Amino acid sequence: SPLPTGRSPLQAIGVSMEVEGTAAATGMPVPATRGAAAPAGWVWPSPTVVRNVIAAGIVLRLGWLGLGLVTVSRLRRGASRLWPRPASVDRAATLAETDAEFLVSPTSSRPVTCGLLWPVVLVPRNFETFPEGEQTAIACHELIHVNRSDWARNGLDEIVRAVLWFHPAIWWLINQIQLAREQVVDREAVRRLGARQPYLEALL
């Protein structure tokens, strides 16, 4: 509203404060000042809602992990034993200083290692058509994973990811750990094979 004639802005504010003080003392209502309403702020969800959302996310992530285990179990049951076992696999077992049962999966398109006490390496059905050097490279890579118990390490990583699914840094950190784990195995496989070319061709 316009200022009273002959009064400065500070004097007008003082008059307004006096009016409000008098009205408050006498119990009279004070007219609302135009534009005085404060903007509505962010209302944080209650702790119960936050806990429920986090718990639901954990359950979903653990369920997804369980579904992955069921899928691997089905692949394992549907696979057949690699027999007769190629000499290339025996050579890879010697290089990796460990061994596992090799199964041929009719549906898997890439090698998969699973199991802790009784580890199994699932290879695709066209594995036996690969050149011997590529067979050795693939088998050596998977057996190094077996020797390092990486299947259990990956499982623990995913449990941590499930519990702390809401934290972006956890996702980034676990992805970096798993990438570094694969790079370590790649480097170790090349070192034991003594040749880089067959290993690269096997990856392709």
Side-chain angles (χ1 to χ4, degrees):
S1 59
L3 296 176
T5 305
R7 288 193 174 93
S8 67
L10 291 179
Q11 290 174 333
I13 293 174
V15 170
S16 176
M17 293 177 62
E18 290 178 2
V19 171
E20 292 180 0
T22 304
T26 59
M28 296 174 60
V30 180
T33 305
R34 185 182 304 173
W42 169 258
V43 179
W44 289 95
S46 66
T48 301
V49 172
V50 173
R51 285 195 299 267
N52 290 341
V53 171
I54 292 177
I58 293 174
V59 171
L60 290 176
R61 288 297 306 178
L62 290 177
W64 182 258
L65 181 59
L67 182 61
L69 293 176
V70 171
T71 302
V72 171
S73 178
R74 288 179 178 175
L75 289 175
R76 184 170 179 170
R77 289 197 305 268
S80 57
R81 186 182 180 190
L82 179 62
W83 190 260
R85 177 162 151 156
S88 57
V89 175
D90 292 331
R91 180 171 179 266
T94 302
L95 293 173
E97 300 178 352
T98 190
D99 205 350
E101 184 179 8
F102 278 73
L103 302 178
V104 178
S105 172
T107 57
S108 178
S109 60
R110 63 184 180 87
V112 177
T113 300
C114 58
L116 185 60
L117 298 179
W118 296 279
V120 169
V121 177
L122 299 173
V123 295
R125 58 185 176 182
N126 59 341
F127 176 77
E128 295 181 274
T129 65
F130 296 165
E132 184 176 351
E134 294 181 18
Q135 291 180 2
T136 302
I138 292 172
C140 185
H141 176 99
E142 298 303 324
L143 288 175
I144 291 174
H145 276 305
V146 171
N147 195 21
R148 289 166 41 90
S149 300
D150 283 340
W151 189 79
R153 296 171 188 264
N154 287 336
L156 291 176
D157 290 345
E158 294 305 323
I159 291 175
V160 172
R161 193 201 302 266
V163 174
L164 300 175
W165 64 268
F166 52 88
H167 204 310
I170 294 298
W171 287 72
W172 177 85
L173 179 61
I174 290 177
N175 289 339
Q176 293 301 309
I177 290 174
Q178 294 179 350
L179 175 61
R181 188 174 294 143
E182 285 295 326
Q183 291 174 340
V184 168
V185 172
D186 288 339
R187 185 165 57 248
E188 183 64 17
V190 170
R191 185 187 70 80
R192 298 195 183 201
L193 290 168
R196 184 185 300 269
Q197 189 64 27
Y199 190 77
L200 293 177
E201 292 176 353
L203 290 179
L204 292 175

